[in-house]
DNA sequence: AAAAGAATCAACCGCGAGAAA
DNA sequence: CTTTCTCGCGGTTGATTCTTT
């Protein structure tokens, strides 16, 4: 790509295969470019090489003139007033540096772009990071709260479930009933239950295999199994009695409740 | 005093739009 | 109408300078 690196001392420069120079400009090159613009005006940058004797391509010449040699350029640091204008215009137009530069006489788009990158992007990132952090913390809190609430609900459902199951099993034991196999048997059991109509409904739906009133969505099976194991702990032999009442495998046991 | 890391800024690159041939 | 050229823009790079450890 490059034919060599020349120019000793402190400056470096590159000459490409096609003869164009690249890298930092020398004061001699600057002088030639200024002379060229004085004589021919701005524009036709590709003619600079032939007319001014510069071994720079048009693009490089234009950039050097626009960003560094133009006489109307303002030297020195960006003032606080300019800074606030940049902020305001960037908020309005985004990264349209040339548009912003037109509103800041003496400043170039490149200068503003660099200034933004070094001063504001950092601040913007900090602000964004801080906002992000706050958002994450609040999300985490929200999640924890949701999990806690869910756990509470599940716990309540579990207690209710165990309580209801206990009632059913006691009832079965008391009346030496087996798990009903027909809807008629179920109906008979429900009517025997000395509870309210609403509780009859629960009872009825449990016996008919509708356990959705106790568990929600994805965790149905998990809760159900947990419930069964807990039920076993709580009721001890009662579950055994139920199993004995109607010999069945585990799958048959689970099915009626979900 | 020296090394490492961060900040700065001049310059380059690729791309698209518009003008000229 | 199509192709080529020129210009301008925004993004990126990398050498230099400054600051911190």
């Amino acid at each position: 790509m490059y034919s060599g690196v020349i120019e000793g001392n402190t400056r470096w420069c590159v000459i490409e295969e096609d003869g164009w120079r690249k890298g930092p400009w020398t004061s001699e090159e600057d002088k030639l470019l200024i002379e060229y613009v004085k004589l021919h005006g701005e524009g036709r940058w590709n003619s600079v090489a032939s007319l001014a004797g510069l071994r720079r391509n048009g693009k490089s010449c234009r950039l050097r003139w626009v960003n560094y040699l133009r006489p109307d350029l303002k030297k020195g640091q960006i003032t606080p007033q300019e800074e606030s204008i940049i902020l305001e215009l960037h908020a309005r137009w985004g990264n349209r540096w040339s548009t912003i530069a037109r509103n800041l006489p003496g400043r170039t788009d490149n200068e503003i772009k660099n200034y933004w990158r070094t001063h504001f992007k950092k601040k913007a990132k900090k602000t964004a990071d801080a906002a992000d952090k706050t958002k994450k913390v609040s999300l985490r809190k929200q999640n924890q709260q949701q999990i806690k609430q869910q756990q509470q609900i599940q716990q309540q459902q579990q207690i209710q479930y165990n309580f209801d199951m206990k009632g059913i099993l006691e009832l079965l034991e008391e009346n030496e009933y087996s798990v009903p196999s027909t809807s008629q048997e179920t109906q008979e059991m429900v009517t025997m239950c000395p509870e309210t109509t609403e509780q009859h409904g629960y009872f009825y739906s449990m016996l008919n295999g509708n356990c959705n009133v106790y568990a929600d969505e994805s965790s149905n099976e998990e809760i159900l199994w947990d419930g069964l194991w807990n039920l076993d702990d709580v009721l001890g032999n009662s579950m055994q009695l139920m199993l004995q009442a109607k010999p069945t495998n585990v799958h048959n046991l689970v099915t009626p409740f979900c």
Side-chain angles (χ1 to χ4, degrees), chain A residues 67-96:
Chain A
N67 286 335
Y68 198 79
L69 298 175
R70 247 169 52 198
D72 59 332
L73 285 180
K74 203 186 273 183
K75 306 283 180 188
Q77 296 227 314
I78 302 274
T79 64
Q81 287 85 354
E82 287 173 320
E83 186 180 299
S84 60
I85 292 171
I86 292 171
L87 267 173
E88 191 190 323
L89 296 183
H90 187 271
R92 194 188 303 172
W93 290 317
N95 293 0
R96 292 166 68 179

PDB file of all heavy atoms in Angstrom, chain A residues 67-96:
ATOM      1  N   ASN A  67     -10.465  22.987   7.576  1.00  0.00           N
ATOM      2  CA  ASN A  67     -10.322  22.755   9.021  1.00  0.00           C
ATOM      3  C   ASN A  67      -9.164  23.496   9.685  1.00  0.00           C
ATOM      4  O   ASN A  67      -9.103  23.552  10.913  1.00  0.00           O
ATOM      5  CB  ASN A  67     -10.152  21.257   9.302  1.00  0.00           C
ATOM      6  CG  ASN A  67     -11.444  20.494   9.151  1.00  0.00           C
ATOM      7  OD1 ASN A  67     -12.537  21.042   9.283  1.00  0.00           O
ATOM      8  ND2 ASN A  67     -11.317  19.231   8.838  1.00  0.00           N
ATOM      9  N   TYR A  68      -8.244  24.029   8.879  1.00  0.00           N
ATOM     10  CA  TYR A  68      -7.062  24.598   9.525  1.00  0.00           C
ATOM     11  C   TYR A  68      -6.574  25.924   8.940  1.00  0.00           C
ATOM     12  O   TYR A  68      -6.180  26.818   9.684  1.00  0.00           O
ATOM     13  CB  TYR A  68      -5.932  23.559   9.470  1.00  0.00           C
ATOM     14  CG  TYR A  68      -4.827  23.835  10.452  1.00  0.00           C
ATOM     15  CD1 TYR A  68      -4.985  23.500  11.803  1.00  0.00           C
ATOM     16  CD2 TYR A  68      -3.637  24.434  10.047  1.00  0.00           C
ATOM     17  CE1 TYR A  68      -3.971  23.759  12.714  1.00  0.00           C
ATOM     18  CE2 TYR A  68      -2.615  24.696  10.956  1.00  0.00           C
ATOM     19  CZ  TYR A  68      -2.780  24.359  12.281  1.00  0.00           C
ATOM     20  OH  TYR A  68      -1.800  24.614  13.186  1.00  0.00           O
ATOM     21  N   LEU A  69      -6.628  26.060   7.630  1.00  0.00           N
ATOM     22  CA  LEU A  69      -5.991  27.234   7.028  1.00  0.00           C
ATOM     23  C   LEU A  69      -6.937  28.406   6.751  1.00  0.00           C
ATOM     24  O   LEU A  69      -6.479  29.536   6.593  1.00  0.00           O
ATOM     25  CB  LEU A  69      -5.293  26.828   5.723  1.00  0.00           C
ATOM     26  CG  LEU A  69      -4.160  25.809   5.884  1.00  0.00           C
ATOM     27  CD1 LEU A  69      -3.634  25.380   4.523  1.00  0.00           C
ATOM     28  CD2 LEU A  69      -3.017  26.386   6.731  1.00  0.00           C
ATOM     29  N   ARG A  70      -8.201  28.154   6.675  1.00  0.00           N
ATOM     30  CA  ARG A  70      -9.173  29.221   6.387  1.00  0.00           C
ATOM     31  C   ARG A  70      -8.928  30.422   7.298  1.00  0.00           C
ATOM     32  O   ARG A  70      -8.815  30.251   8.522  1.00  0.00           O
ATOM     33  CB  ARG A  70     -10.584  28.694   6.638  1.00  0.00           C
ATOM     34  CG  ARG A  70     -11.437  28.563   5.401  1.00  0.00           C
ATOM     35  CD  ARG A  70     -12.696  27.798   5.695  1.00  0.00           C
ATOM     36  NE  ARG A  70     -13.425  28.323   6.841  1.00  0.00           N
ATOM     37  CZ  ARG A  70     -14.358  27.654   7.513  1.00  0.00           C
ATOM     38  NH1 ARG A  70     -14.630  26.415   7.172  1.00  0.00           N
ATOM     39  NH2 ARG A  70     -14.981  28.200   8.515  1.00  0.00           N
ATOM     40  N   PRO A  71      -8.859  31.638   6.736  1.00  0.00           N
ATOM     41  CA  PRO A  71      -8.540  32.805   7.565  1.00  0.00           C
ATOM     42  C   PRO A  71      -9.619  33.175   8.573  1.00  0.00           C
ATOM     43  O   PRO A  71      -9.329  33.816   9.577  1.00  0.00           O
ATOM     44  CB  PRO A  71      -8.344  33.932   6.536  1.00  0.00           C
ATOM     45  CG  PRO A  71      -9.020  33.470   5.309  1.00  0.00           C
ATOM     46  CD  PRO A  71      -8.995  31.975   5.313  1.00  0.00           C
ATOM     47  N   ASP A  72     -10.859  32.784   8.295  1.00  0.00           N
ATOM     48  CA  ASP A  72     -11.945  33.167   9.220  1.00  0.00           C
ATOM     49  C   ASP A  72     -12.109  32.197  10.378  1.00  0.00           C
ATOM     50  O   ASP A  72     -13.076  32.298  11.142  1.00  0.00           O
ATOM     51  CB  ASP A  72     -13.260  33.287   8.446  1.00  0.00           C
ATOM     52  CG  ASP A  72     -13.655  31.991   7.758  1.00  0.00           C
ATOM     53  OD1 ASP A  72     -12.732  31.210   7.417  1.00  0.00           O
ATOM     54  OD2 ASP A  72     -14.854  31.744   7.565  1.00  0.00           O
ATOM     55  N   LEU A  73     -11.187  31.267  10.510  1.00  0.00           N
ATOM     56  CA  LEU A  73     -11.315  30.308  11.614  1.00  0.00           C
ATOM     57  C   LEU A  73     -10.990  30.949  12.945  1.00  0.00           C
ATOM     58  O   LEU A  73     -10.071  31.762  13.061  1.00  0.00           O
ATOM     59  CB  LEU A  73     -10.378  29.111  11.395  1.00  0.00           C
ATOM     60  CG  LEU A  73     -10.798  28.088  10.356  1.00  0.00           C
ATOM     61  CD1 LEU A  73      -9.758  26.976  10.263  1.00  0.00           C
ATOM     62  CD2 LEU A  73     -12.158  27.509  10.675  1.00  0.00           C
ATOM     63  N   LYS A  74     -11.761  30.591  13.930  1.00  0.00           N
ATOM     64  CA  LYS A  74     -11.537  31.093  15.282  1.00  0.00           C
ATOM     65  C   LYS A  74     -10.569  30.147  15.979  1.00  0.00           C
ATOM     66  O   LYS A  74     -10.802  28.938  16.013  1.00  0.00           O
ATOM     67  CB  LYS A  74     -12.861  31.124  16.042  1.00  0.00           C
ATOM     68  CG  LYS A  74     -12.877  32.104  17.199  1.00  0.00           C
ATOM     69  CD  LYS A  74     -14.167  31.951  17.978  1.00  0.00           C
ATOM     70  CE  LYS A  74     -15.284  32.798  17.406  1.00  0.00           C
ATOM     71  NZ  LYS A  74     -16.515  32.705  18.220  1.00  0.00           N
ATOM     72  N   LYS A  75      -9.502  30.684  16.511  1.00  0.00           N
ATOM     73  CA  LYS A  75      -8.557  29.817  17.226  1.00  0.00           C
ATOM     74  C   LYS A  75      -8.910  29.803  18.711  1.00  0.00           C
ATOM     75  O   LYS A  75      -9.646  30.645  19.196  1.00  0.00           O
ATOM     76  CB  LYS A  75      -7.120  30.324  17.040  1.00  0.00           C
ATOM     77  CG  LYS A  75      -6.700  30.506  15.592  1.00  0.00           C
ATOM     78  CD  LYS A  75      -6.383  29.183  14.934  1.00  0.00           C
ATOM     79  CE  LYS A  75      -5.967  29.396  13.467  1.00  0.00           C
ATOM     80  NZ  LYS A  75      -5.827  28.146  12.728  1.00  0.00           N
ATOM     81  N   GLY A  76      -8.386  28.851  19.410  1.00  0.00           N
ATOM     82  CA  GLY A  76      -8.593  28.802  20.858  1.00  0.00           C
ATOM     83  C   GLY A  76      -9.734  27.902  21.271  1.00  0.00           C
ATOM     84  O   GLY A  76     -10.420  27.308  20.437  1.00  0.00           O
ATOM     85  N   GLN A  77      -9.903  27.835  22.580  1.00  0.00           N
ATOM     86  CA  GLN A  77     -10.873  26.917  23.154  1.00  0.00           C
ATOM     87  C   GLN A  77     -12.314  27.337  22.876  1.00  0.00           C
ATOM     88  O   GLN A  77     -12.603  28.514  22.674  1.00  0.00           O
ATOM     89  CB  GLN A  77     -10.659  26.857  24.669  1.00  0.00           C
ATOM     90  CG  GLN A  77      -9.310  26.289  25.058  1.00  0.00           C
ATOM     91  CD  GLN A  77      -9.443  25.259  26.154  1.00  0.00           C
ATOM     92  OE1 GLN A  77     -10.149  25.481  27.135  1.00  0.00           O
ATOM     93  NE2 GLN A  77      -8.783  24.139  26.010  1.00  0.00           N
ATOM     94  N   ILE A  78     -13.179  26.342  22.891  1.00  0.00           N
ATOM     95  CA  ILE A  78     -14.615  26.594  22.780  1.00  0.00           C
ATOM     96  C   ILE A  78     -15.063  27.323  24.049  1.00  0.00           C
ATOM     97  O   ILE A  78     -14.747  26.907  25.162  1.00  0.00           O
ATOM     98  CB  ILE A  78     -15.376  25.254  22.673  1.00  0.00           C
ATOM     99  CG1 ILE A  78     -14.901  24.430  21.468  1.00  0.00           C
ATOM    100  CG2 ILE A  78     -16.884  25.455  22.673  1.00  0.00           C
ATOM    101  CD1 ILE A  78     -15.545  24.706  20.154  1.00  0.00           C
ATOM    102  N   THR A  79     -15.788  28.422  23.873  1.00  0.00           N
ATOM    103  CA  THR A  79     -16.249  29.199  25.028  1.00  0.00           C
ATOM    104  C   THR A  79     -17.510  28.561  25.629  1.00  0.00           C
ATOM    105  O   THR A  79     -18.182  27.772  24.946  1.00  0.00           O
ATOM    106  CB  THR A  79     -16.587  30.639  24.609  1.00  0.00           C
ATOM    107  OG1 THR A  79     -17.700  30.585  23.698  1.00  0.00           O
ATOM    108  CG2 THR A  79     -15.412  31.312  23.921  1.00  0.00           C
ATOM    109  N   PRO A  80     -17.832  28.909  26.863  1.00  0.00           N
ATOM    110  CA  PRO A  80     -19.059  28.372  27.479  1.00  0.00           C
ATOM    111  C   PRO A  80     -20.313  28.690  26.664  1.00  0.00           C
ATOM    112  O   PRO A  80     -21.232  27.872  26.596  1.00  0.00           O
ATOM    113  CB  PRO A  80     -19.108  29.074  28.837  1.00  0.00           C
ATOM    114  CG  PRO A  80     -17.703  29.437  29.127  1.00  0.00           C
ATOM    115  CD  PRO A  80     -17.063  29.726  27.814  1.00  0.00           C
ATOM    116  N   GLN A  81     -20.318  29.901  26.038  1.00  0.00           N
ATOM    117  CA  GLN A  81     -21.484  30.252  25.211  1.00  0.00           C
ATOM    118  C   GLN A  81     -21.594  29.293  24.025  1.00  0.00           C
ATOM    119  O   GLN A  81     -22.673  28.791  23.701  1.00  0.00           O
ATOM    120  CB  GLN A  81     -21.371  31.694  24.688  1.00  0.00           C
ATOM    121  CG  GLN A  81     -21.590  32.752  25.733  1.00  0.00           C
ATOM    122  CD  GLN A  81     -20.300  33.063  26.518  1.00  0.00           C
ATOM    123  OE1 GLN A  81     -19.277  32.412  26.353  1.00  0.00           O
ATOM    124  NE2 GLN A  81     -20.389  34.053  27.395  1.00  0.00           N
ATOM    125  N   GLU A  82     -20.428  29.080  23.386  1.00  0.00           N
ATOM    126  CA  GLU A  82     -20.419  28.162  22.243  1.00  0.00           C
ATOM    127  C   GLU A  82     -20.827  26.764  22.681  1.00  0.00           C
ATOM    128  O   GLU A  82     -21.547  26.057  21.975  1.00  0.00           O
ATOM    129  CB  GLU A  82     -19.025  28.142  21.602  1.00  0.00           C
ATOM    130  CG  GLU A  82     -18.697  29.399  20.830  1.00  0.00           C
ATOM    131  CD  GLU A  82     -17.257  29.421  20.346  1.00  0.00           C
ATOM    132  OE1 GLU A  82     -16.359  28.994  21.103  1.00  0.00           O
ATOM    133  OE2 GLU A  82     -17.030  29.872  19.211  1.00  0.00           O
ATOM    134  N   GLU A  83     -20.367  26.390  23.861  1.00  0.00           N
ATOM    135  CA  GLU A  83     -20.685  25.066  24.381  1.00  0.00           C
ATOM    136  C   GLU A  83     -22.199  24.884  24.530  1.00  0.00           C
ATOM    137  O   GLU A  83     -22.762  23.863  24.125  1.00  0.00           O
ATOM    138  CB  GLU A  83     -19.992  24.852  25.729  1.00  0.00           C
ATOM    139  CG  GLU A  83     -20.169  23.434  26.252  1.00  0.00           C
ATOM    140  CD  GLU A  83     -19.482  23.222  27.597  1.00  0.00           C
ATOM    141  OE1 GLU A  83     -18.264  23.381  27.678  1.00  0.00           O
ATOM    142  OE2 GLU A  83     -20.193  22.913  28.566  1.00  0.00           O
ATOM    143  N   SER A  84     -22.844  25.918  25.078  1.00  0.00           N
ATOM    144  CA  SER A  84     -24.299  25.784  25.266  1.00  0.00           C
ATOM    145  C   SER A  84     -25.028  25.743  23.930  1.00  0.00           C
ATOM    146  O   SER A  84     -26.035  25.046  23.792  1.00  0.00           O
ATOM    147  CB  SER A  84     -24.829  26.902  26.164  1.00  0.00           C
ATOM    148  OG  SER A  84     -24.563  28.138  25.586  1.00  0.00           O
ATOM    149  N   ILE A  85     -24.474  26.480  22.939  1.00  0.00           N
ATOM    150  CA  ILE A  85     -25.093  26.436  21.598  1.00  0.00           C
ATOM    151  C   ILE A  85     -24.951  25.027  21.011  1.00  0.00           C
ATOM    152  O   ILE A  85     -25.896  24.467  20.451  1.00  0.00           O
ATOM    153  CB  ILE A  85     -24.446  27.487  20.662  1.00  0.00           C
ATOM    154  CG1 ILE A  85     -24.796  28.904  21.137  1.00  0.00           C
ATOM    155  CG2 ILE A  85     -24.894  27.282  19.219  1.00  0.00           C
ATOM    156  CD1 ILE A  85     -24.041  30.009  20.433  1.00  0.00           C
ATOM    157  N   ILE A  86     -23.755  24.464  21.167  1.00  0.00           N
ATOM    158  CA  ILE A  86     -23.525  23.105  20.653  1.00  0.00           C
ATOM    159  C   ILE A  86     -24.513  22.131  21.289  1.00  0.00           C
ATOM    160  O   ILE A  86     -25.141  21.325  20.610  1.00  0.00           O
ATOM    161  CB  ILE A  86     -22.075  22.647  20.926  1.00  0.00           C
ATOM    162  CG1 ILE A  86     -21.098  23.482  20.078  1.00  0.00           C
ATOM    163  CG2 ILE A  86     -21.897  21.170  20.607  1.00  0.00           C
ATOM    164  CD1 ILE A  86     -19.633  23.264  20.429  1.00  0.00           C
ATOM    165  N   LEU A  87     -24.651  22.243  22.601  1.00  0.00           N
ATOM    166  CA  LEU A  87     -25.564  21.346  23.321  1.00  0.00           C
ATOM    167  C   LEU A  87     -26.986  21.469  22.789  1.00  0.00           C
ATOM    168  O   LEU A  87     -27.660  20.470  22.522  1.00  0.00           O
ATOM    169  CB  LEU A  87     -25.555  21.694  24.803  1.00  0.00           C
ATOM    170  CG  LEU A  87     -24.580  20.926  25.680  1.00  0.00           C
ATOM    171  CD1 LEU A  87     -24.575  21.504  27.087  1.00  0.00           C
ATOM    172  CD2 LEU A  87     -24.935  19.447  25.729  1.00  0.00           C
ATOM    173  N   GLU A  88     -27.402  22.713  22.650  1.00  0.00           N
ATOM    174  CA  GLU A  88     -28.771  22.971  22.208  1.00  0.00           C
ATOM    175  C   GLU A  88     -29.002  22.450  20.789  1.00  0.00           C
ATOM    176  O   GLU A  88     -29.990  21.772  20.513  1.00  0.00           O
ATOM    177  CB  GLU A  88     -29.025  24.481  22.264  1.00  0.00           C
ATOM    178  CG  GLU A  88     -30.482  24.846  22.093  1.00  0.00           C
ATOM    179  CD  GLU A  88     -30.642  26.364  21.901  1.00  0.00           C
ATOM    180  OE1 GLU A  88     -29.899  27.126  22.554  1.00  0.00           O
ATOM    181  OE2 GLU A  88     -31.491  26.752  21.084  1.00  0.00           O
ATOM    182  N   LEU A  89     -28.033  22.775  19.904  1.00  0.00           N
ATOM    183  CA  LEU A  89     -28.214  22.367  18.510  1.00  0.00           C
ATOM    184  C   LEU A  89     -28.082  20.856  18.334  1.00  0.00           C
ATOM    185  O   LEU A  89     -28.758  20.268  17.496  1.00  0.00           O
ATOM    186  CB  LEU A  89     -27.195  23.099  17.615  1.00  0.00           C
ATOM    187  CG  LEU A  89     -27.352  24.616  17.568  1.00  0.00           C
ATOM    188  CD1 LEU A  89     -26.354  25.233  16.610  1.00  0.00           C
ATOM    189  CD2 LEU A  89     -28.770  25.002  17.154  1.00  0.00           C
ATOM    190  N   HIS A  90     -27.226  20.254  19.134  1.00  0.00           N
ATOM    191  CA  HIS A  90     -27.099  18.804  19.033  1.00  0.00           C
ATOM    192  C   HIS A  90     -28.384  18.121  19.496  1.00  0.00           C
ATOM    193  O   HIS A  90     -28.807  17.110  18.925  1.00  0.00           O
ATOM    194  CB  HIS A  90     -25.905  18.292  19.838  1.00  0.00           C
ATOM    195  CG  HIS A  90     -25.636  16.823  19.613  1.00  0.00           C
ATOM    196  ND1 HIS A  90     -26.235  15.845  20.370  1.00  0.00           N
ATOM    197  CD2 HIS A  90     -24.865  16.175  18.699  1.00  0.00           C
ATOM    198  CE1 HIS A  90     -25.820  14.651  19.940  1.00  0.00           C
ATOM    199  NE2 HIS A  90     -24.996  14.821  18.926  1.00  0.00           N
ATOM    200  N   ALA A  91     -28.994  18.702  20.526  1.00  0.00           N
ATOM    201  CA  ALA A  91     -30.260  18.146  21.009  1.00  0.00           C
ATOM    202  C   ALA A  91     -31.311  18.225  19.898  1.00  0.00           C
ATOM    203  O   ALA A  91     -32.169  17.363  19.769  1.00  0.00           O
ATOM    204  CB  ALA A  91     -30.722  18.905  22.241  1.00  0.00           C
ATOM    205  N   ARG A  92     -31.199  19.295  19.087  1.00  0.00           N
ATOM    206  CA  ARG A  92     -32.193  19.490  18.041  1.00  0.00           C
ATOM    207  C   ARG A  92     -31.894  18.671  16.784  1.00  0.00           C
ATOM    208  O   ARG A  92     -32.757  18.082  16.176  1.00  0.00           O
ATOM    209  CB  ARG A  92     -32.261  20.979  17.683  1.00  0.00           C
ATOM    210  CG  ARG A  92     -33.479  21.339  16.853  1.00  0.00           C
ATOM    211  CD  ARG A  92     -33.429  22.764  16.358  1.00  0.00           C
ATOM    212  NE  ARG A  92     -33.295  23.744  17.439  1.00  0.00           N
ATOM    213  CZ  ARG A  92     -33.082  25.048  17.234  1.00  0.00           C
ATOM    214  NH1 ARG A  92     -32.978  25.519  16.014  1.00  0.00           N
ATOM    215  NH2 ARG A  92     -32.963  25.870  18.247  1.00  0.00           N
ATOM    216  N   TRP A  93     -30.614  18.637  16.401  1.00  0.00           N
ATOM    217  CA  TRP A  93     -30.271  18.037  15.107  1.00  0.00           C
ATOM    218  C   TRP A  93     -29.468  16.744  15.190  1.00  0.00           C
ATOM    219  O   TRP A  93     -29.199  16.117  14.172  1.00  0.00           O
ATOM    220  CB  TRP A  93     -29.506  19.044  14.246  1.00  0.00           C
ATOM    221  CG  TRP A  93     -30.354  20.170  13.773  1.00  0.00           C
ATOM    222  CD1 TRP A  93     -31.626  20.099  13.285  1.00  0.00           C
ATOM    223  CD2 TRP A  93     -30.003  21.565  13.741  1.00  0.00           C
ATOM    224  NE1 TRP A  93     -32.086  21.354  12.940  1.00  0.00           N
ATOM    225  CE2 TRP A  93     -31.112  22.273  13.204  1.00  0.00           C
ATOM    226  CE3 TRP A  93     -28.874  22.289  14.086  1.00  0.00           C
ATOM    227  CZ2 TRP A  93     -31.110  23.652  13.017  1.00  0.00           C
ATOM    228  CZ3 TRP A  93     -28.858  23.657  13.911  1.00  0.00           C
ATOM    229  CH2 TRP A  93     -29.977  24.330  13.384  1.00  0.00           C
ATOM    230  N   GLY A  94     -29.023  16.384  16.355  1.00  0.00           N
ATOM    231  CA  GLY A  94     -28.197  15.177  16.457  1.00  0.00           C
ATOM    232  C   GLY A  94     -26.809  15.407  15.882  1.00  0.00           C
ATOM    233  O   GLY A  94     -26.282  16.525  15.930  1.00  0.00           O
ATOM    234  N   ASN A  95     -26.234  14.391  15.260  1.00  0.00           N
ATOM    235  CA  ASN A  95     -24.841  14.472  14.785  1.00  0.00           C
ATOM    236  C   ASN A  95     -24.677  15.186  13.440  1.00  0.00           C
ATOM    237  O   ASN A  95     -23.821  14.812  12.648  1.00  0.00           O
ATOM    238  CB  ASN A  95     -24.267  13.058  14.669  1.00  0.00           C
ATOM    239  CG  ASN A  95     -24.113  12.383  16.004  1.00  0.00           C
ATOM    240  OD1 ASN A  95     -24.431  12.958  17.051  1.00  0.00           O
ATOM    241  ND2 ASN A  95     -23.637  11.171  16.004  1.00  0.00           N
ATOM    242  N   ARG A  96     -25.479  16.177  13.189  1.00  0.00           N
ATOM    243  CA  ARG A  96     -25.316  16.924  11.919  1.00  0.00           C
ATOM    244  C   ARG A  96     -24.340  18.056  12.157  1.00  0.00           C
ATOM    245  O   ARG A  96     -24.704  19.226  12.304  1.00  0.00           O
ATOM    246  CB  ARG A  96     -26.685  17.409  11.434  1.00  0.00           C
ATOM    247  CG  ARG A  96     -27.546  16.229  11.009  1.00  0.00           C
ATOM    248  CD  ARG A  96     -28.979  16.611  10.851  1.00  0.00           C
ATOM    249  NE  ARG A  96     -29.191  17.524   9.719  1.00  0.00           N
ATOM    250  CZ  ARG A  96     -30.386  17.984   9.372  1.00  0.00           C
ATOM    251  NH1 ARG A  96     -31.448  17.615  10.039  1.00  0.00           N
ATOM    252  NH2 ARG A  96     -30.504  18.803   8.355  1.00  0.00           N
TER     253      ARG A  96
END
